[in-house]
Amino acid sequence: MSNFFKNLTWAIVTLLVIAVVFSFFYEPQKSPQNLSLSELAAKVASGDVTQIRINGNDLNIKLKDNTDAVSQKEDGVGLADTLKNFGIEPATLAKVDVAVESQSGWQFWAGILIPTLLPLIIIGVIFWLMFRQAKTGVNQAFSFGRSNLRLSTFKERITFKDVAGLKETKEELVEVVDFLKNPKKFLDLGARIPRGILLMGPPGTGKTLIARAVAGESGVPFFFISASEFVEMFVGVGASRTRDAFMTAKRASPSILFIDEIDAVGRQRGAGLGGGNDEREQTLNQILVELDGFDRDTRVIVLAATNRPDILDPALLRPGRFDRRVILDLPDINDREAILKIHSEGKPLDPKVDLRKVAVRTPGFSGADLANLMNEAAILAARRGKKVATQDELFESVEKVILGPERKSRVISLKEKEITAYHEGGHALVAASLKNADTVQKVSIISRGFAGGYTMKLPLEEEHLRTRKQFLTDLATMLGGYASEKLTFGDVTNGASNDLKQASELARKLVTKYGMSEKLGPQTFGNTEEMVFLGREISTEKNYSEKIAEEIDSEVNGLINKAHQIANKVLSSHKNVLQAIAKKLMEKETLEHEDFYAVLKPFKIKPMAV
Ligand code: ADP
Ligand code: MG
Ligand code: ZN
């Protein structure tokens, strides 16, 4: 209905515009003066008339002074005769250019009809347009069952070249494309063409990107739909949309159908909190039916992506459905470098920039984070009026992406600054004085996001395994800030709360998950449901006795206390070093890796074992 009013407004506006335009072009001509026959005769006699055009009984007269006049002659009598009656000799009339015009039929009719019909026609057209729109509206309402399946017409063609890393994923997908192109090769060997491939991985790892690359590489029609589109707007259409999507893909076979974010419909049925969603279940059922309905040689491959494989209905993962699963991991250091490289295209970088160093500082970043980082660096460089982005901008963007922008403007008192300097100096010094500790990359007392200051430390090489000793070192480093505040000022602030939270969580994990408590030994406690990739815990089922619970608590307590002792020991035996670091921090606010180790150098610290 609102559409109708929109159209109506539109029509009125159009009419107004037309009216305005007309009035512009239509200058009211000065209507020619009307002469009586006697006046005309007088003018002819005085030689004022240059031209007379006869049109029926109408006389269109041009006067010497270039003005027009009109007159009428008598019916059925010639002009010469008429004027003769007024005493004009034919000889006099001969000096005037007289012509007889016969008005053509269409001119006559056009003259009458156009002024009356034109507005009607315009109104007619407008109504027609309105009705047409209204009709498509109605049709849309009836065709909601159709999927808005898009044949991939992505603006830029993306190929595997644009996707860094993800080697295994690419290999898998290349094979799939090969299936589509040369099915005979595989069918002859009795192989079944895979039907569904599920891309799983944390957000931003390039699932959508690589699917688009498949579209760019495969050379077969590629249909793209986001699962949430199956169920949008009206209930009851998800299933028929699904049917339609698969039908379209089958008709175009060999082809690829890509369902992005399939978890939107593929959740476990009947497991939803707050009641099942019928609509979603119907849609999911339809997807299952369609997948099963493929003939042995239907050359349609269904690609789907999700970052929540843990919540998918098991039926989806059964053989013959999404039986191939490809995991996209967070990029490792080499891949990160490659991704940075891809995204630095078109962004002028200082020739001295070393992307490897950026890759070192970005463990845990997804491809999307890295793309974001490069963009932030470019923005930062532009804001500083530079022509190219330098290493500084890149490093700063890393911190911005992790912690939020620097808040230099936050006013802190001198006392607070001192506390922060000793706090961060404590973290950094503990890390630098323990064996097995990660290298300190940067210490800063500029507040960022929610953090008052921060110490960035990273392992020299990427590692997947961490020893108990390393974990203990981590714990001690986490408590370094707290210990330093206590040691220096005899009091602590709430600035350490986040450190303490992290330390407590880590200590508990060591005891309950990694079997690293000496007393409780190599076993795990609690059945934790974890989201496979995100490392986020959903729920923990307590599967141990109260007695064990007490022991766990005491072990966690023991670990924390031990870590605090270590930190305290390091700091109290190097009080002068701590002072030097804090002083430098108050002066410079940020110490890069080299600056920091330069402060330590004269003290010749011998790394302690934990
Ligand atoms: P998701 O896995 O959540 O679907 P996307 O495919 O949408 O992630 O990735 C988001 C963006 O991150 C991409 O558009 C691309 O710019 C960047 N990106 C992610 N992974 C890579 C990669 N391996 N190589 C290059 N760019 C990547
Ligand atoms: Mg995506
Ligand atoms: Zn801290």
Side-chain angles (χ1 to χ4, degrees), residues 3 46 61 87 102 117 127 138 173 210 220 300 312 314 334 364 454 544 577 580 586 609:
N3 223 1
S46 61
I61 301 147
S102 65
L117 280 189
F127 266 94
V138 172
L173 292 174
I210 204 162
V220 301
V300 176
L312 286 187
N334 294 325
Y454 60 98
Y544 41 83
V577 190
M586 290 188 38

Side-chain angles (χ1 to χ4, degrees), residues 428-483:
L429 180 56
V430 172
S433 343
L434 291 177
K435 272 188 193 158
N436 306 315
D438 300 336
T439 338
V440 175
Q441 295 287 346
K442 182 170 179 171
V443 197
S444 171
I445 57 168
I446 295 175
S447 85
R448 231 177 221 293
F450 291 114
Y454 60 98
T455 303
M456 181 157 77
K457 52 189 184 52
L458 289 169
L460 281 177
E461 277 164 41
E462 282 229 315
E463 49 186 28
H464 300 285
L465 295 176
R466 237 171 143 68
T467 61
R468 180 169 187 273
K469 281 206 170 107
Q470 279 174 313
F471 279 124
L472 285 180
T473 317
D474 287 345
L475 276 180
T477 310
M478 283 173 190
L479 291 171
Y482 175 89

Side-chain angles (χ1 to χ4, degrees), residues 15-50:
L15 275 180
L16 281 177
V17 169
I18 289 173
V20 168
V21 169
F22 259 78
S23 68
F24 254 107
F25 287 104
Y26 179 77
E27 278 177 56
Q29 284 175 339
K30 258 187 263 144
S31 48
Q33 69 183 125
N34 209 336
L35 302 177
S36 66
L37 273 175
S38 55
E39 282 166 331
L40 175 63
K43 286 208 188 293
V44 171
S46 61
D48 277 346
V49 178
T50 55

